[in-house]
């Protein structure tokens, strides 16, 4: 059993105290771009682990929140990146990464030679390869390192991180990635992390849709759904998605941990990458259409478990 620190001390606070005592990674400067639902907790965990973190976000309030947690707030990408040993980006979509990283006053225009860029966004694999190629030309090491685990995983420092890029760069990023992730795996060259993340999003979307359809089925039969999901979760039908999402579906509460509009974007990445590789992926098409319907009907800002609403409407359960 892990040793207990002072009463009420968060595990990350304990890590930071221990690291400060060892004079560990506190000398490593991190520039963090994108402090949203996932990026904010990730940056806060890096601060708590003893790193000097300077964060930038288009909404300045989120950078100020990081400052209140012990980091520093930057007014621009250039300010966040200047002098950083490691740069982490956590942005919504491919165009955001292209602008923030490859733009005229973006990350690569301001990063020092030898810096390590870790892009934790979920984007198209070909954009990650383009970032890696341009970064190499400018003397910056780049990794695509998309994450899975949702908001709670980010808060707990328990994300699953699939990393593409050079093996030596992956080794250099180990200490930083281990702070924000529990399962960190190098999956191949540049772009590979994004390819694996696309597969992850396909599996998650399929699970969500099946849990939603099962709930409709159970409710139509008048079954006690709480009991039903408890026993289903203990058998082969059990999954993290079932455990995490069934209660929100049953209670019709869809506060976003990961928004439908972002999952819809990710399924577009799946379909694009499948076409590029000549892969037939019929289920991804069906799931993308359900996500599309949710977005068109104004539900894009809901948690992706809100996909339940589409299955309910198909069955006259307004």
């Amino acid at each position: 059993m892990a040793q207990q620190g002072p009463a009420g001390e968060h595990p990350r606070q304990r890590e930071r105290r221990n690291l400060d005592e060892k004079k560990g990674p506190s000398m490593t400067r991190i520039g963090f771009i994108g402090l949203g639902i996932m990026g904010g907790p990730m940056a806060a965990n890096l601060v708590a682990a003893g790193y000097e973190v300077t964060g930038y976000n288009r909404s300045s309030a989120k950078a100020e929140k990081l400052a209140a947690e012990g980091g520093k707030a930057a007014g621009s990408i250039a300010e966040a990146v200047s002098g950083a040993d490691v740069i982490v980006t956590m942005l919504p979509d491919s165009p955001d990464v292209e602008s923030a990283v490859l733009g005229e006053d973006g990350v690569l225009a301001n990063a020092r030679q030898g810096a390590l860029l870790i892009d934790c966004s979920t984007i198209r694999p070909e954009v990650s390869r383009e970032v890696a190629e341009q970064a190499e030309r400018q003397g910056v090491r780049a990794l695509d390192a998309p994450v899975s685990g949702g908001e709670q995983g980010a808060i707990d420092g328990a994300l699953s991180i699939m990393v593409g890029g050079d093996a030596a760069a992956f080794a250099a990023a180990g200490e930083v990635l281990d702070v924000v992730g529990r399962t960190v795996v190098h999956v191949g060259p540049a772009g590979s992390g994004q390819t694996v993340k696309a597969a992850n999003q396909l599996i998650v979307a399929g699970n969500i849709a099946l849990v939603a359809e099962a709930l409709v089925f159970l409710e139509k039969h008048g079954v006690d759904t709480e009991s039903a999901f408890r026993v289903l979760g203990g058998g082969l039908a059990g999954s993290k998605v079932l455990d995490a999402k069934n209660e929100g579906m049953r209670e019709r509460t869809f506060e976003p941990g990961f928004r439908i509009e972002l999952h819809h974007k990710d399924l577009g990445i799946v379909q694009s990458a499948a076409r590029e590789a000549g892969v037939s992926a019929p289920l991804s098409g069906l799931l993308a259409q359900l996500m599309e319907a949710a977005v068109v009907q104004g539900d894009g800002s809901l948690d992706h478990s809100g996909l339940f609403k589409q299955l309910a409407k198909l069955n006259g359960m307004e």
Side-chain angles (χ1 to χ4, degrees), residues 170-214:
F170 172 70
E175 288 188 4
V176 170
L177 293 175
D178 284 344
V179 170
V180 296
R182 180 171 295 162
T183 304
V184 183
V185 181
H186 183 228
V187 295
S192 298
Q194 299 298 348
T195 303
V196 175
K197 178 61 187 288
N200 179 89
Q201 295 305 81
L202 174 58
I203 293 169
V204 171
N207 268 267
I208 286 173
L210 286 170
V211 171
E213 191 166 310

Side-chain angles (χ1 to χ4, degrees), residues 49-124:
Y51 291 96
E52 180 184 319
V53 182
T54 301
Y56 170 76
N57 197 79
R58 283 179 294 188
S59 168
S60 60
K62 292 179 180 179
E64 290 164 5
K65 182 176 184 294
L66 178 66
E69 293 167 332
K72 297 180 180 179
S76 66
I77 290 175
E79 183 182 348
V81 167
S82 179
D85 304 300
V86 177
I87 301 153
V88 181
T89 49
M90 186 60 168
L91 300 165
D93 203 350
S94 300
D96 302 293
V97 172
E98 289 173 315
S99 174
V101 176
L102 304 177
E104 185 176 337
D105 200 28
V107 169
L108 293 182
N110 292 281
R112 68 169 183 80
Q113 288 247 331
L116 177 60
L117 168 62
I118 306 172
D119 180 30
C120 294
S121 317
T122 297
I123 61 174
R124 300 193 311 272

Side-chain angles (χ1 to χ4, degrees), residues 45 135 174 227 255 261 273 292:
N45 281 337
S227 299
E255 290 298 316
E261 60 193 3
E292 176 77 26

